[in-house]
Amino acid sequence: MDIADIITPMSVLLVIFGVFVGIIFGSIPGLTATMALAVFLPLTFGMDLTEGLALLLGLYVGGISGGMIPAALLKIPGTPSSVATTFDAYPMAQKGQPKRALKIGITASLVGGLVSLIVLYFFAPVLGTLAINFTPVEKFLIIIFALTVIASIAEGKMLPALFSGALGVMVSLIGVFPTNNELRLVPPFLEDYLWEGFSLLPVLIGLFGIAEILRNAEQGLKADTSNKISLTKGRGGKSSGDRFSLRDFKGQVVNLFRSALIGTGIGVLPGVGGSAASLVSYSQAKNFSKNPQKLGHGSREGIIASEGSNNGLTGGAMVPLLSLGIPGDSTTAVLLGAFVLQGIAVGPLFITDNPELWDGMILSLLIANVVMFVMMFIAIRYFAKIIEIPKYILFPIILVMCVLGAYAINNGVMFDVWTALIFGVIGFIFMKIGVNITIFLIGFILGRDLEKNFIDSMQASGGDLTVFFTRSPIDWVLWALIVGSLVFGIISGRRHRKDATDDTYAIRTTKK
C-alpha cells in the first residue's frame, strides 16, 4: 500500500502543528500534554479520524518532550514526568551548559520515542496480553520499586530521605478514602476543596517554582544579580563546554536503550504513569553507573535516563489502549475519547479490523518524533537564552506563569492557586529544615496509587499478606529489584560517609 494512501499531506501538517503546540503546552508549568489534547479534541470531530489522530498524537509527543525545557532551565518540571530531568539538567545549565543539557535531552527523547514506536508496532498484541495479567499486586510492587529511588538519590542520608518520602505519601492521602467515601485528614473548613485531595500540578508548581523564587528572594535580587552564569568565553563568544556532540552518548548506549525500554514497559501498565517511569529509569541509571555520586550534579547519565524513558512512555501507553481498550495514562484516556466519538472500537481486534488507521497512527508517531527533534534542536538557541535573563526580571514573570498555570489546571479553580502558593511556602520551609523536596514529591505522586493497589490486593486475597510474595514468579523478580535497590542505597550511603570522612581528614592534615 502506498504511504500516500495511509497518511495525507494534511495529516503531516497537522502532526507538525500538533508538535509545535504540544511543545508550548509542555514548556509552560501547569499546562500538560493531557490538557493540550483535551483543548484540541473538539476540533477533531469534523476531521477524518486519521487526520484527527495525527493532530492529537503530535500534541502528545510535543507535550511530553516540551516539559524538559523549564525543567532544565528553571528547575520547574513542565510536566510531572519531567521531575527527574531537573535532577541533572538544571545543574548542568547552571554550570553554563544549557544548550548541551537540552540537546542531550532532546536526542534521548528521540531515541526513546523511536524505541517505544518499534515495540508498539511489533509487540502490541503480546504486550497487551502481558499487561492484562498484571494484577494490583504487581502494580503495588512496581510502585514500591519506584519509591526505592529514595535510597539511590539520598546521598548518604537514607533515614531523612525515607521520612521525606513517607511525608509525601501521607499528604497524598488527604481527601476521600476510596473504600468508604469518608473524608480523612481534612480540616472542616476545607472539606469543599479537598474532597479529591491536592491536585498534583499546583503542588508541583509550588514546590519547584514558587519555593525557588522565595529562596532567591531571601538572598536578594539586586540589579547586578542576574541569572547569567559566569562563563569562560571561548572563540566567537560561545561559552566553553556548552557544546553538544554525539560523544556525550559515549558509554551511554546501554543506559539510553535501558531507559527507553523501562519507559515503554511501564507505559504498558495501565495507571502507573510517566513519573514512575522516569524515576525508575533514573534509579537504575544510578545503580549501574560507574560514578553514581555524579548523578544529581549535572550528569549526562541522569538526563539521558529521564528523557529516554519519558518519550519511551508514549508508545508504551498506546499498547493497552489499542490492544485492550484500557488507557495507559490520562493522555491516552483523551485519545480513547477520540475513538469513542468516532465510533471506533479499540481492543484485541482493533489492528486487524483497522489496518489503514493502525499504519496511519504508526507513521504519525514516527513523524511526530522526528519533527519534535528537528523543531526543538533548531530552536534550542532561543530556549537557552532564558538563562541569560536577569533574575529580577525573570522571576516575576515565572511567578505570574506559575499562578496562571495553577489557575488554568482545573478550568479556573482559585483553590489551585492557593495550593501552589501554600506548597511554595512549604517547599521553602523544607529547604530550611532539610526535608528533601524531590523525594517528598515522589512520595506524593505515587502515594494514591500505592494505597489503591494495596487495598485492591487485600480485597482480592481476603486480607492475606502473603499474596505479595506467592502470586507469581514476577513478584519475586520485583522483590529482588526492590531489595537490590535498597542494598545499593545502604552501600552508597556508607561510601558517601567514608568519602566525607576522608575529605575532612585531608583538610585537617593540610591545615596542620
Side-chain angles (χ1 to χ4, degrees), residues 21-29 31-33 62-68 70 77-79:
V21 174
I23 291 173
I24 294 174
F25 268 76
S27 62
I28 298 175
L31 304 183
T32 63
I64 295 295
S65 304
M68 84 174 76
T79 60

Side-chain angles (χ1 to χ4, degrees), residues 406-453:
Y407 185 74
I409 287 166
N410 290 315
N411 298 319
V413 177
M414 191 63 193
F415 183 74
D416 287 333
V417 176
W418 287 111
T419 298
L421 295 174
I422 290 168
F423 276 90
V425 174
I426 290 173
F428 177 69
I429 295 172
F430 281 177
M431 294 177 187
K432 291 291 187 180
I433 64 177
V435 175
N436 190 304
I437 292 177
T438 299
I439 296 173
F440 172 85
L441 185 63
I442 293 170
F444 181 84
I445 289 172
L446 301 178
R448 280 275 178 170
D449 289 335
L450 183 74
E451 179 193 51
K452 179 181 182 301
N453 287 301

Side-chain angles (χ1 to χ4, degrees), residues 16-272:
I16 295 171
F17 174 74
V19 170
F20 175 73
V21 174
I23 291 173
I24 294 174
F25 268 76
S27 62
I28 298 175
L31 304 183
T32 63
T34 305
M35 187 180 296
L37 266 72
V39 169
F40 282 86
L41 180 60
L43 298 181
T44 66
F45 295 165
M47 298 181 183
D48 176 79
L49 183 56
T50 302
E51 294 179 351
L53 287 174
L55 172 62
L56 296 176
L57 292 173
L59 290 165
Y60 187 21
V61 173
I64 295 295
S65 304
M68 84 174 76
I69 297 170
L73 301 181
L74 305 173
K75 202 182 177 182
I76 304 174
T79 60
S81 59
S82 301
V83 171
T85 304
T86 64
F87 299 169
D88 286 283
Y90 182 73
M92 183 179 286
Q94 290 296 292
K95 292 177 182 177
Q97 302 172 17
K99 295 178 185 176
R100 180 172 176 242
L102 287 170
K103 288 181 178 179
I104 290 173
I106 293 166
T107 306
S109 294
L110 174 65
V111 175
L114 294 179
V115 168
S116 74
L117 183 59
I118 293 170
V119 172
L120 171 66
Y121 187 73
F122 289 104
F123 301 106
V126 177
L127 289 177
T129 303
L130 178 65
I132 200 65
N133 291 327
F134 270 67
T135 68
V137 173
E138 284 75 32
K139 293 178 184 178
F140 174 81
L141 293 177
I142 287 172
I143 294 172
I144 290 290
F145 178 46
L147 285 170
T148 58
V149 72
I150 292 171
S152 298
I153 66 176
E155 297 184 348
K157 299 178 181 179
M158 179 176 286
L159 286 178
L162 290 173
F163 171 78
S164 302
L167 184 62
V169 171
M170 188 183 76
V171 173
S172 75
L173 300 182
I174 292 174
V176 68
F177 185 59
T179 302
N180 58 13
N181 289 328
E182 292 289 336
L183 281 174
R184 57 184 173 181
L185 303 175
V186 180
F189 61 91
L190 290 178
E191 289 182 354
D192 293 338
Y193 303 102
L194 289 176
W195 186 261
E196 296 182 356
F198 290 107
S199 297
L200 171 59
L201 287 171
V203 172
L204 188 151
I205 289 170
L207 291 176
F208 282 87
I210 297 174
E212 187 71 16
I213 293 173
L214 292 175
R215 185 182 68 82
N216 281 271
E218 181 189 33
Q219 297 172 356
L221 302 181
K222 298 177 182 178
D224 60 343
T225 303
S226 71
N227 205 33
K228 295 182 182 180
I229 312 300
S230 296
L231 303 172
T232 304
K233 296 292 182 180
R235 292 181 181 178
K238 293 184 178 181
S239 55
S240 62
D242 195 19
R243 291 188 180 90
F244 167 81
S245 72
L246 291 179
R247 286 193 297 272
D248 284 316
F249 285 84
K250 184 178 181 181
Q252 296 299 312
V253 175
V254 173
N255 178 26
L256 177 59
F257 283 93
R258 179 182 62 235
S259 300
L261 290 173
I262 287 174
T264 303
I266 290 181
V268 170
L269 305 176
V272 178

